[in-house]
Structure formats: C-alpha cells, structure tokens
Amino acid sequence: MNFARDYVDEAPPKNRALVALDAAGEREEWTFADVAEASARLAGRLQRGGVERGDTVLTLVGNRPGWVLSLVACFRIGAVALPCTEQLRAADLAHRFAVARPRLILADERNRAELEAAAPSCPVLYLSPDLWQEDPPAVAVELAPTDPCLITFTSGTSGKPKAVVHAQRYLAGQVLQATHWLDARP
C-alpha cells in the first residue's frame, strides 16, 4: 500500500484536488495530477536531501498547498510526517526535535525566527515552488499497513506532550472520515 500512489496518483487526474485561498482572497486550484507531480518531485528533493524510508520529516508550514505536498511527498517515500502547527514556540519545537529526531524540516519562511530559536540539529528547507519543480519525481515505495506514516503529539494537558505514531492504515481511514464525516465531494 502507498497513499500517494493508491489515492493521489490514481485519482482522476483532471479532478480538482485542492483549492487554496490566500489572505488577499486570491484563489489557487490544484488538480490531482498537479498534486501527484509536485509531491513526487518534492519527494525526490527529500531523497536528495538524505531522507530515507522511516525517517521523520517535521513540517512547519501552515494551511497552504505546500503542506499538502509535503505530507504526500513523505507518504510517497515512506518518510514519517510530523506536522506541526505554526502556533508552536521554540521550546515546543525543541521538545519535538528531541523526541522525534527529525531528519529534515520543511518550513514556511515566516517561521524562520522561531525555528532558529529552537536550534534544530537537522537541515531546514524553506518551501518555495522550486522545491517541487526541479528534482526528478520519486517512485512510490510499497508500505505495510503497520508501517509508520505520521506522528502527532498529545496536547500536553497532563504533562509534556507525548508522541503518537500512526500507521499507514490510518490514512485510508481518513478517506472514510472525509467522505462520511466531513462530506467531502466534488
């Protein structure tokens, strides 16, 4: 199984996959073909940066197309995505670095100061369109349903936030959630 290959690559290529509205109200639409191609190239960039299957990639991107591309790129190559909210401060990020030991960080430039204050020991790539345009596309790897795909952290209301690892099978469950709970449709 591989979410990127089985769901994104196999979706009707011309169907709309993503709609982004920026602060100024500008609309950007991505088809499944766009997301598949860009995420495959970003996955190639991650591999060129030394990310291998099972490595953790922390994302600090916010709610924008680059976040979607980052996660799908990780899923494509079997990297474990650690999505982080931009509300985290340096101490929160440092805690996640210590626990999850990311191999690489993908971030929006606007998070540079907080990331630098957290002093990561791994490389940081700041998202820009060239990250998903220049590298050859990565091939999707075959993954087991029990292989890790995602790390989330608990809220920390009863102590330090704890890492929770989700398996690849979690992603198929999200398709069901989107369809039946969120009522996603064309």
Side-chain angles (χ1 to χ4, degrees):
M1 75 182 306
N2 186 296
F3 181 84
R5 179 194 65 216
D6 301 343
Y7 289 93
V8 178
D9 296 355
E10 290 300 315
K14 292 184 180 183
N15 281 10
R16 186 173 47 216
L18 180 63
V19 176
L21 297 173
D22 68 16
E26 294 295 317
R27 181 183 177 103
E28 182 181 7
E29 292 191 10
W30 292 67
T31 65
F32 276 98
D34 297 333
V35 172
E37 177 71 16
S39 65
R41 290 185 180 279
L42 180 55
R45 175 62 182 91
L46 295 178
Q47 288 178 323
R48 188 165 58 87
V51 174
E52 298 177 359
R53 182 181 178 152
D55 286 343
T56 300
V57 175
L58 185 145
T59 66
L60 189 62
V61 178
N63 189 9
R64 53 189 25 89
W67 181 76
V68 172
L69 301 178
S70 298
L71 292 185
V72 176
C74 288
F75 302 152
R76 182 175 302 282
I77 61 174
V80 183
L82 170 52
C84 292
T85 175
E86 292 180 296
Q87 295 174 344
L88 296 176
R89 300 298 83 193
D92 303 312
L93 291 167
H95 174 66
R96 282 151 179 79
F97 300 161
V99 172
R101 298 189 319 264
R103 176 79 166 98
L104 187 130
I105 296 169
L106 287 169
D108 190 286
E109 181 67 40
R110 67 186 180 189
N111 298 305
R112 182 183 290 271
E114 210 62 44
L115 268 174
E116 288 176 355
S121 60
C122 64
V124 178
L125 291 177
Y126 290 97
L127 291 183
S128 65
D130 64 314
L131 281 180
W132 51 81
Q133 292 176 355
E134 295 178 355
D135 284 272
V139 175
V141 300
E142 187 63 29
L143 299 162
T146 55
D147 285 343
C149 74
L150 189 67
I151 299 173
T152 57
F153 273 74
T154 62
S155 64
T157 54
S158 62
K160 285 237 181 236
K162 294 171 186 62
V164 178
V165 179
H166 298 277
Q168 292 293 326
R169 64 179 170 243
Y170 170 83
L171 298 173
Q174 294 302 292
V175 172
L176 289 172
Q177 180 187 43
T179 304
H180 298 290
W181 184 18
L182 302 175
D183 197 26
R185 56 187 154 187

